[in-house]
Amino acid sequence: MFKQYCKKCGEDTDHKELMKQKPSEYGTSKTERFKAFMEGFFGGTASTLGASLDLLDRYVVCQQCGCKTLDNKGEEFQ
């Protein structure tokens, strides 16, 4: 947890980081999901965990009010 300003609360509150997979540009069939997997596996910026960060969105969530804000900062999210 870390302190960050929450627009909804109007003060510095505890926040947690949340990583969610971006919506797929592919369909939902097995073939289309496999294509998305292969593109993510062979393309993009790999992290130390082996996941492709360009397929993820970083959110910060206020622990007081639950407000979730998209916060993709850094070169790994570009």
Side-chain angles (χ1 to χ4, degrees):
M1 263 195 274
F2 56 93
K3 292 272 188 195
Q4 183 170 319
Y5 182 79
C6 177
K7 292 180 183 178
K8 191 172 180 181
C9 295
E11 60 184 276
D12 285 336
T13 58
D14 287 330
H15 283 70
K16 281 189 179 179
E17 182 178 73
L18 173 67
M19 303 295 275
K20 290 183 72 174
Q21 184 175 358
K22 290 181 180 179
S24 176
E25 62 188 51
Y26 296 96
T28 56
S29 72
K30 286 185 181 182
T31 303
E32 295 300 315
R33 288 187 299 185
F34 182 72
K35 286 180 189 177
F37 168 77
M38 294 305 288
E39 182 179 308
F41 186 76
F42 290 110
T45 306
S47 72
T48 56
L49 300 174
S52 182
L53 290 177
D54 59 348
L55 298 176
L56 298 174
D57 278 329
R58 177 184 180 263
Y59 291 90
V60 290
V61 183
C62 176
Q63 296 301 288
Q64 186 168 319
C65 70
C67 181
K68 182 169 58 171
T69 307
L70 181 63
D71 192 30
N72 287 345
K73 291 182 183 171
E75 291 180 17
E76 60 271 10
F77 288 103
Q78 296 179 357

